[in-house]
Amino acid sequence: MRAHAHVLAAARAACAAMLAVTVSLAVAGAAHAASPVLVASAGAALSPNGQPDGGGAAGGLGLMFPVEGPWSFGAVLFAEDLGTGLAELHDPNTGEALGTVADLHRWAFGGEWRAEARLYNARRARLLWGVGFGYGREEKDQRGQVAGAVSGITASTSASFLIPAAHGHAFGVALAVRRLFVSTESDPDLSTHWATAAFEWRWQGTPKD
């Protein structure tokens, strides 16, 4: 437990340091009159380990600040459905099978500081690679009642392929992998890693003089 507490303390300190770096770089970006980029994504969580493992809807919302060179820094909020298990419903009196119903459900949500690099940036296409580091929470519920939850450090990496459009908009697809650093001793069925595939929309306003 002490070791786990030390790890969490160190991770929180790292998050605070990343916040300081992000704010500093955002201020530097503002000095270069670069407008922030609003990022929204909607898709699906895929192949989580643990149980249930069917995945589900996934979404994110973030704000990125371009700085000098190919880099952008910012923050992202995420919510990802990890799956819903099924159970056979029986009549409590006769024991007769009444059908299949949704049973155990898991999902994860949180926020992370994010860094992105523009690997390819042309008029008709863009390719971005990003990494994130933050804090996430995984909850399980059974028919609407929360049955357990854990929180821990999360890390992710992603690639986005975008097609620029008019008025600062860009549309494309994003693929990502996420890792949630939590102990599975109390619940061996916890999901600790999964992928996401999503449609992505970005908008960057025109900087004012």
Side-chain angles (χ1 to χ4, degrees), residues 15-202:
C15 283
M18 288 189 68
L19 172 60
V21 171
T22 299
V23 171
S24 299
L25 290 170
V27 171
H32 290 279
S35 297
V37 180
L38 181 63
V39 184
S41 63
L46 308 170
S47 302
N49 66 330
Q51 292 295 329
D53 59 358
L61 183 66
L63 193 63
M64 303 299 297
F65 294 86
V67 296
E68 193 168 0
W71 296 98
S72 294
F73 296 87
V76 176
L77 299 175
F78 66 88
E80 295 159 357
D81 190 335
L82 304 177
T84 301
L86 301 177
E88 193 74 22
L89 183 65
H90 294 85
D91 187 296
N93 297 315
T94 66
E96 180 184 358
L98 300 177
T100 302
V101 296
D103 190 35
L104 186 67
H105 167 256
R106 290 186 188 272
W107 73 301
F109 59 93
E112 62 183 9
W113 305 113
R114 189 160 186 81
E116 287 185 344
R118 296 180 287 279
L119 302 181
Y120 180 76
N121 190 16
R123 184 176 180 181
R124 296 186 177 181
R126 297 173 189 163
L127 180 61
L128 310 178
W129 171 72
V131 293
F133 184 77
Y135 205 69
R137 183 174 177 83
E138 182 178 328
E139 290 187 353
K140 67 176 180 179
D141 60 84
Q142 194 163 24
R143 300 170 191 170
Q145 298 295 319
V146 176
V150 293
S151 300
I153 301 304
T154 181
S156 68
T157 184
S158 66
S160 299
F161 178 75
L162 301 167
I163 303 297
H167 308 297
H169 296 278
F171 302 88
V173 294
L175 300 175
V177 176
R178 180 174 302 284
R179 178 79 161 88
L180 184 62
F181 295 92
V182 293
S183 172
T184 59
E185 287 185 10
S186 60
D187 186 354
D189 290 332
L190 278 171
S191 296
T192 57
H193 58 81
W194 57 90
T196 60
F199 294 104
E200 190 169 280
W201 165 77
R202 295 187 177 222

